């Protein structure tokens, strides 16, 4: 039985996190094509869901006066357009884990078609905007994603 009051959550298939979504009218331009900046929003939702799925509680650290992730770099290549009503999957994998940052590879896919291919580097910054080390347990969780079979 489906619980319609529970939000959708993505999940892992090996080292890949899969996050499904549908293109709604608000996501498109006047031609019914997904507006280019909205792919970054799709990717952000998928990254946030991936972190939640491995137990990284960003809200808890932020509320405790700790640091937070900020996008330091985003590179995206647009290959094919998504359109109104399309069902998409954002596939995310962790590429590189450093002391104060993580690089995540993200692809937006429709069926078997690759629509966008991007990489995002998220830096962990303190309350004053200076880089700081990520919590050790978070680094371990990211490395655990990389090593999933």
């Amino acid at each position: 039985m489906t619980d319609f009051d529970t939000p959708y959550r993505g999940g892992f298939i090996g080292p890949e996190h899969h996050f499904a979504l549908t293109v709604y009218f608000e996501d498109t331009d006047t031609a019914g094509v997904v507006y280019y900046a909205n792919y970054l929003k799709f990717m952000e939702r998928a990254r946030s869901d991936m972190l939640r799925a491995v137990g990284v509680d960003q809200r808890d650290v932020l509320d405790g006066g700790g640091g937070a992730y900020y996008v330091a770099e985003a590179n995206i290549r647009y290959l094919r357009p998504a359109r109104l009503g399309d069902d998409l999957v954002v596939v995310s994998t962790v590429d590189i884990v450093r002391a104060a940052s993580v690089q995540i590879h993200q692809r937006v896919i429709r069926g078997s078609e690759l629509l966008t291919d991007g990489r995002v580097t998220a830096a962990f910054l303190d309350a004053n905007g200076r880089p700081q080390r990520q919590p050790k347990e978070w680094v371990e969780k990211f490395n655990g994603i990389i090593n999933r079979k």
Side-chain angles (χ1 to χ4, degrees), residues 97-110:
V97 181
R98 293 190 175 100
S101 68
V102 60
Q103 183 185 79
I104 299 172
H105 181 204
Q106 295 186 280
R107 296 167 286 144
V108 179
I109 299 169
R110 177 183 53 221

Side-chain angles (χ1 to χ4, degrees), residues 50-95:
M50 180 178 70
L51 295 178
R52 181 211 50 83
V54 295
V56 171
D57 189 348
Q58 295 183 87
R59 184 88 228 167
D60 187 49
V61 171
L62 189 59
D63 288 347
Y69 287 110
Y70 293 86
V71 172
E73 184 174 346
N75 295 299
I76 188 167
R77 184 167 176 231
Y78 301 95
L79 303 166
R80 291 191 152 90
R83 300 184 186 283
L84 180 62
D86 283 351
D87 291 324
L88 308 176
V89 176
V90 181
V91 177
S92 305
T93 54
V94 177
D95 276 352

Side-chain angles (χ1 to χ4, degrees), residues 1 3 9 18 22 29 31 34 37 45 60 69 73-75 96 102 108 111-112 115 117 120-121 123 126 133 144:
M1 179 176 209
D3 180 359
R9 301 294 189 193
H18 289 232
T22 299
D29 60 17
V34 171
R45 289 179 202 152
D60 187 49
Y69 287 110
E73 184 174 346
N75 295 299
I96 301 169
V102 60
V108 179
S112 62
L115 305 182
D117 189 14
V120 173
T121 300
D126 67 15
R133 289 186 175 274

Side-chain angles (χ1 to χ4, degrees), residues 19-72:
F19 185 79
L21 59 100
T22 299
V23 175
Y24 293 107
F25 188 76
E26 69 178 358
D27 301 319
T28 64
D29 60 17
T30 57
V33 172
V34 171
Y35 182 65
Y36 77 96
N38 286 334
Y39 290 98
L40 293 170
K41 291 180 181 182
F42 299 161
M43 292 163 61
E44 175 65 35
R45 289 179 202 152
R47 280 192 314 279
S48 294
D49 192 75
M50 180 178 70
L51 295 178
R52 181 211 50 83
V54 295
V56 171
D57 189 348
Q58 295 183 87
R59 184 88 228 167
D60 187 49
V61 171
L62 189 59
D63 288 347
Y69 287 110
Y70 293 86
V71 172

